[in-house]
Amino acid sequence: MHNTFRTTTNKTPWYQVCLLTLGGIISNHAVADEVLPTDEQPVEHIIVTASRTPQNVDQVMASVEVITRDEIDKLQPKSLADLLATVAGLDVARQGGAGQQTSLFTRGTGSDQTLILIDGVRSGSATLGNKAIENLPMAQIERVEVVKGPRASMWGSDAIGGVINIFTRRMSAGEYQLGAETGSDSYVSGDGQIGVGYDAGTTTISLSAEDSRGFDAREDTEFDDDGYDRLSAAIRGDYRVNEQIVVDWIGQVDDGSNDYDNSYGANKNDYDNYLWQLRGNYQTEQWLSTFAFSQTRDYNKNYGNGIAKGDGDFFETRRKQVSWVNHYQLYNPFTVSAGVDFYREDINANTDYEEDSRDVSAIFGNALFQDQKWIAEAAIRYDDVENIDSETTYNASIGYNVTDKLLVALNAGHSFKAPTFNDLYYPESFGSKGNPDLTSETADSYELLLRSSYAGIKVTASLYYTEIDDLIEWVCDEFWNCSPENINEVKITGGESTVNFSTAGLDHRATLSYVDAEDQATGSQLIRRARKTASYQVSYDWQDFELLGQYEYHGERSDAGQRLDDYQLVNIALAYYVTPSWTIRAKANNLFDETYQNVLGYNTPGSEYFVGVSYRGFSL
């Protein structure tokens, strides 16, 4: 809950990094046709997260990243943190290894200012205000959509830094896959998926299990291994009623536990979460209408180190959600969208909160104009959060296609994050108490976006500025009585670029990010955020082999008033397709055994090695 800042010196001026970023894309625009002539056409990706309706990713006036299942298989990540570590503008801080508490910072914003969706459903804890991404199983992810920048005008609270939408697995009718893996720290896993087909649709059923002994998460508390285990099941299906109406559904259950180290007694966490959604879709040539009802549960219990399992602290969030989204094409270049959202959050804990439920209702609209040269989009949303002031948020974008392969766009957005139940109503305990008079955190953001694609070289670059007001900070008096207040202000300036191209049979991807997230009271960089990050990834397919190499650079950062050194990681992954059905995979993380920290006092993985096998087939 508490943030600590440190004043840093010798800062690289942000505008210099931004100019270099823009220079890279302008240079690419000028010479790409001469450097890498190619007949390959760009692959079209559809994204739904940016506007809550399907869009071609190249037509979205926001910085977006789409990670497909094929890319996940190639990368072989063991956690969402591994998968997102090289996305430009995202920074990850983990308190130990896989399964340990993980913070995700999008463009320098707080770890609770990125909205996490599962199949479009808001998920996570209403007491902490974020989603425990360390508990998400990689085997059950079909694709991930990352939208950077404010999106509160479409999704409401929390979407200040961006939105990450995680979609569960989808298999074709009769298709099935089985996999098993083992590796460092006594890691073992198994998973299976099958697609069940019928006359009017398909349902995918997925199961996965993982277990790891782990390693000692913290260097100065308990000297033991801190492992984890998880068991997950998911279902995703659809049924076509007629030409216009399709019904689809999702369901997911996660059960597991994590060991961890701290100074407060408990050292073990159990979780038992679920999510389900039933959705109806009506579509004609001009009209798309979607009505969805969903429910989530986020349950955590802490115990251990002398605290009996039955006596541990538990916190449970139940969230019922209803949404109705309508998309209508008035005429060829002009479309409008409108919708309503409602959700109720109920909490249950072994401590008594002053309030244990609240309703959130919202109405929103979006308009998009697009012709051959100009794109203009505007969205507005009104949120009524019970017992908190209402918020009106917006996004406005205008873009110009300089050529059919170069887009320049300007974006502006206003977003907010509502206080959590802990912020507002946490019962007095050891001198800490919530503050029911808090208001929402608010942010204003601006972005210059450039996107080009020439001769097989695809570049996305952006400069952005965000100002966040009324940040909630827990403040303590001289007697260590603590409560939260709306006192902090943060200004964030940054730039980022991503370059993708292929040459000589090699696929390349490079990213560069610079984030200056400054606390206005102290003039220091916000904790646990690196100013400079970069990555380079290269892959090569040869006959039945697939090889990938990955380099990561993470700049220095501060935590609790201390400087944490920069570090570099090298990872490699190999796949051998023995037959069209059988595949053997191997992965080495931190190949050169780099020693580093991204959270003060917490260890990080040394060299790790994994090997696995999978079988993919079709039933008759």
Side-chain angles (χ1 to χ4, degrees), residues 304-617:
N305 198 17
I307 302 173
K309 186 168 184 177
D311 299 328
D313 293 328
F314 72 88
F315 298 88
E316 179 187 50
T317 297
R318 291 180 183 265
R319 186 181 290 112
K320 296 178 180 178
Q321 306 175 55
V322 179
S323 68
W324 184 29
V325 183
N326 299 275
H327 178 76
Y328 184 71
Q329 184 170 347
L330 292 177
Y331 52 90
N332 190 36
F334 190 68
T335 57
V336 294
S337 301
V340 294
D341 284 333
F342 172 83
Y343 59 91
R344 167 169 290 176
E345 296 176 324
D346 295 289
I347 65 168
N348 183 29
N350 60 338
T351 55
D352 293 327
Y353 283 72
E354 182 179 337
E355 298 283 346
D356 58 11
S357 68
R358 70 180 176 194
D359 293 342
V360 179
S361 55
I363 183 170
F364 58 92
N366 181 69
L368 173 66
F369 173 85
Q370 181 174 349
D371 63 14
Q372 291 184 344
K373 287 294 185 180
W374 290 96
I375 308 175
E377 186 173 16
I380 190 168
R381 177 180 171 115
Y382 175 83
D383 280 86
D384 183 12
V385 184
E386 188 176 3
N387 298 327
I388 303 173
D389 291 341
S390 61
E391 294 289 339
T392 300
T393 55
Y394 73 87
N395 275 87
S397 305
I398 186 167
Y400 181 71
N401 289 298
V402 180
T403 71
D404 60 349
K405 297 179 180 178
L406 176 61
L407 169 71
V408 181
L410 291 172
N411 302 312
H414 179 73
S415 52
F416 82 104
K417 174 177 173 52
T420 67
F421 278 85
N422 279 355
D423 293 331
L424 293 165
Y425 310 121
Y426 192 80
E428 186 168 2
S429 175
F430 298 102
S432 295
K433 188 178 187 302
N435 178 4
D437 297 324
L438 292 173
T439 61
S440 295
E441 302 172 343
T442 60
D444 291 292
S445 301
Y446 308 92
E447 179 183 19
L448 170 63
L449 172 71
L450 296 96
R451 184 183 294 127
S452 74
S453 179
Y454 279 85
I457 303 179
K458 185 173 183 180
V459 181
T460 301
S462 64
L463 308 177
Y464 55 85
Y465 172 80
T466 299
E467 187 170 318
I468 308 176
D469 294 319
D470 295 323
L471 269 175
I472 296 171
E473 174 80 3
W474 283 72
V475 179
C476 301
D477 63 18
E478 58 183 325
F479 302 106
W480 287 100
N481 296 311
C482 304
S483 64
E485 297 180 18
N486 292 105
I487 60 171
N488 270 9
E489 295 183 7
V490 169
K491 290 184 179 180
I492 303 172
T493 52
E496 65 193 38
S497 63
T498 301
V499 181
N500 294 275
F501 65 97
S502 299
T503 180
L506 299 172
D507 295 324
H508 306 265
R509 180 177 181 273
T511 68
L512 173 66
S513 302
Y514 179 84
V515 179
D516 187 3
E518 186 176 279
D519 173 46
Q520 293 300 285
T522 64
S524 63
Q525 177 86 346
L526 298 183
I527 63 169
R528 301 180 183 175
R529 282 91 151 166
R531 277 197 175 88
K532 305 171 187 177
T533 58
S535 70
Y536 171 68
Q537 180 178 298
V538 59
S539 60
Y540 180 69
D541 295 348
W542 177 73
Q543 295 185 0
D544 296 323
F545 290 90
E546 187 177 81
L547 180 64
L548 178 142
Q550 192 176 60
Y551 166 80
E552 303 176 29
Y553 171 78
H554 301 267
E556 67 178 45
R557 66 193 74 200
S558 65
D559 193 4
Q562 297 191 37
R563 174 180 171 273
L564 303 179
D565 292 336
D566 59 352
Y567 61 92
Q568 304 173 70
L569 302 176
V570 175
N571 313 313
I572 59 172
L574 174 68
Y576 172 50
Y577 295 91
V578 183
T579 71
S581 296
W582 287 98
T583 305
I584 298 174
R585 300 184 187 274
K587 179 73 181 289
N589 289 330
N590 192 3
L591 186 63
F592 298 110
D593 201 24
E594 176 91 347
T595 300
Y596 65 97
Q597 287 186 334
N598 47 43
V599 177
L600 183 66
Y602 285 89
N603 298 316
T604 50
S607 295
E608 296 179 308
Y609 304 93
F610 304 92
V611 62
V613 61
S614 64
Y615 180 86
R616 193 182 191 100

Side-chain angles (χ1 to χ4, degrees), residues 216-322:
D216 193 14
R218 189 174 171 91
E219 59 185 12
D220 58 357
T221 306
E222 298 178 70
F223 300 99
D224 61 351
D225 291 330
D226 297 298
Y228 71 94
D229 63 81
R230 67 169 65 106
L231 179 64
S232 302
I235 184 170
R236 177 179 179 179
D238 57 77
Y239 182 85
R240 179 170 290 280
V241 179
N242 54 41
E243 288 297 320
Q244 290 78 38
I245 299 175
V246 176
V247 178
D248 59 57
W249 53 86
I250 59 169
Q252 185 170 332
V253 178
D254 299 313
D255 182 88
S257 64
N258 308 317
D259 299 326
Y260 61 94
D261 291 337
N262 68 23
S263 304
Y264 304 103
N267 62 2
K268 190 175 182 66
N269 171 67
D270 280 350
Y271 62 89
D272 183 5
N273 306 330
Y274 70 73
L275 172 154
W276 63 264
Q277 176 179 262
L278 180 63
R279 184 173 62 176
N281 306 275
Y282 174 80
Q283 185 170 11
T284 65
E285 186 175 343
Q286 291 181 288
W287 183 276
L288 173 62
S289 182
T290 301
F291 182 85
F293 181 74
S294 58
Q295 184 172 347
T296 65
R297 180 205 194 207
D298 187 280
Y299 175 88
N300 283 273
K301 187 171 189 176
N302 297 292
Y303 62 94
N305 198 17
I307 302 173
K309 186 168 184 177
D311 299 328
D313 293 328
F314 72 88
F315 298 88
E316 179 187 50
T317 297
R318 291 180 183 265
R319 186 181 290 112
K320 296 178 180 178
Q321 306 175 55
V322 179

